[in-house]
Amino acid sequence: MPLPDLFLLSDLLRHRVRCDQGLDHGPGVMAWMHPPVHRLLGWVSRPSALRNHRDVWRLDQCRGVDDQQVYVKGFPAETDQLTLDRLPTLLDADLLDRDGERLGQIADLAFVPTSGEILYYLVSRSDPRLPGSSRWRLSPERIVDQQPGRVSTALRNLDDLPQARASVRQDLVRRSRHWREQLQQFGDRAGERLEGWLEEPPWEEPSWGEQPRPSPQESREAWDDEDWSEPGEPRRDRSRSDHDEDPWI
C-alpha cells in the first residue's frame, strides 16, 4: 500500500517496522525532527523491550504502509535512549498564549511523507494520553517563539485555533443542544397550530327552517300520540279508558 498524502505521527508510531530483509524492528516510539524549519526527518523504533538500543530510520527509507506495518528499505542507525532524549523536539511542549499563560500541550503533528514538511501540530488542552480528548490545529505560522519544552504564540485562547477533533463530552453536549433545539421548534409549531385552531369561529347550529323548534312538552305529547301497533292490527283507541276495554269488570 503506498504512503498517504498526509500522515499523522501517532498513526506512524502505531505501526511496526519491517525492513526489506523481512525482519521486524518493533513499533515506533518517537519522532526525529528539526524544529527550526518544522520538518520531520524520521522516526525511532524499539526492536526489543529487553535491550536499550533503538533503531533510527530516515523518512526517505519508508516505502509503504498497511494496517499494521510500515515497510522500509535499507538499514537503520543504532543508538540508545539516552542519546535520543537529547534530540530537539516540539512534541509534549507547553503551548503559551500572548501573556505567557499555558493553553495546552502539543500532542501530535501532521506531515507530508514524501518531504517531511510539518503542516500543522495538534494541541491538547489536558493530558494527551486521555482517550477522547479534544485537538486543535496549530499551523507553524502561528508560532512566535520556540524553546525546549515550550512554544510561544500570540493566541488569546484555544478557540482562536480551528478544532480538529471534539472530545466525547463536547460532542455529547453539542448533540444534546441540537436535540433541545429540535424539541423547542416542534413545541413552537404545535403551539402555533393550537392557537390557530382556537382562533377559528365556532361551529354554527344547524338551521331548523321556518318552523320553530318544538318545546320539550310538545315532544312528549308527540311521543305519547305515536302509534306503536303492529302492522295489520287495528289502531288502539286511546280515548276509551282501560276500564271499558276489560270485559271482566
Side-chain angles (χ1 to χ4, degrees):
M1 182 178 177
L3 293 174
D5 297 334
L6 183 65
F7 213 172
L8 288 178
L9 177 63
S10 58
D11 292 339
L12 175 64
L13 298 182
R14 277 196 293 264
H15 290 71
R16 301 185 68 87
V17 179
R18 184 172 295 276
C19 67
D20 52 355
Q21 303 297 321
L23 300 178
D24 185 0
H25 293 266
V29 292
M30 63 176 294
W32 173 29
M33 62 184 302
H34 189 44
V37 295
H38 303 286
R39 183 183 178 190
L40 184 69
L41 303 178
W43 77 106
V44 181
S45 67
R46 183 181 58 195
S48 174
L50 301 178
R51 293 191 297 172
N52 193 35
H53 89 277
R54 302 289 185 264
D55 291 343
V56 182
W57 305 91
R58 301 188 315 272
L59 196 61
D60 58 4
Q61 291 182 268
C62 188
R63 293 294 183 267
V65 62
D66 61 13
D67 294 338
Q68 298 180 352
Q69 298 181 107
V70 55
Y71 300 94
V72 296
K73 184 177 181 180
F75 299 97
E78 294 187 2
T79 185
D80 55 67
Q81 188 62 45
L82 295 178
T83 302
L84 295 175
D85 291 339
R86 292 194 292 266
L87 294 177
T89 181
L90 295 184
L91 294 173
D92 299 330
D94 291 334
L95 182 69
L96 307 180
D97 62 5
R98 59 194 307 175
D99 299 325
E101 299 293 333
R102 185 182 183 276
L103 292 177
Q105 183 177 358
I106 296 180
D108 203 351
L109 58 86
F111 66 96
V112 181
T114 55
S115 63
E117 177 188 3
I118 298 176
L119 298 181
Y120 57 84
Y121 298 92
L122 292 179
V123 180
S124 174
R125 188 193 303 272
S126 57
D127 190 347
R129 294 172 297 181
L130 296 176
S133 56
S134 302
R135 296 290 186 270
W136 287 265
R137 289 197 302 267
L138 173 67
S139 60
E141 294 79 11
R142 307 296 294 268
I143 297 177
V144 177
D145 187 24
Q146 55 190 27
Q147 298 178 10
R150 62 179 184 178
V151 175
S152 301
T153 65
L155 302 172
R156 293 186 298 270
N157 50 59
L158 284 180
D159 293 334
D160 295 341
L161 299 176
Q163 192 173 36
R165 186 184 69 191
S167 65
V168 176
R169 177 179 176 274
Q170 288 181 339
D171 185 65
L172 181 61
V173 170
R174 185 173 60 252
R175 291 176 181 269
S176 301
R177 186 182 302 112
H178 178 66
W179 293 336
R180 287 197 300 268
E181 291 176 355
Q182 287 185 335
L183 291 176
Q184 182 65 31
Q185 294 176 0
F186 177 77
D188 293 342
R189 289 196 298 265
E192 291 175 358
R193 293 182 180 179
L194 180 60
E195 291 177 359
W197 178 74
L198 293 175
E199 291 176 357
E200 293 180 357
W203 295 341
E204 297 181 356
E205 295 292 339
S207 176
W208 290 88
E210 298 180 355
Q211 298 180 356
R213 185 175 180 178
S215 62
Q217 181 64 26
E218 295 175 348
S219 300
R220 287 194 297 269
E221 293 177 357
W223 178 270
D224 295 338
D225 293 340
E226 188 176 357
D227 184 10
W228 292 93
S229 60
E230 295 294 334
E233 294 182 359
R235 183 174 181 178
R236 184 178 179 181
D237 188 3
R238 295 185 178 272
S239 60
R240 299 174 57 188
S241 64
D242 293 340
H243 179 74
D244 296 339
E245 293 180 359
D246 192 350
W248 300 101
I249 297 178

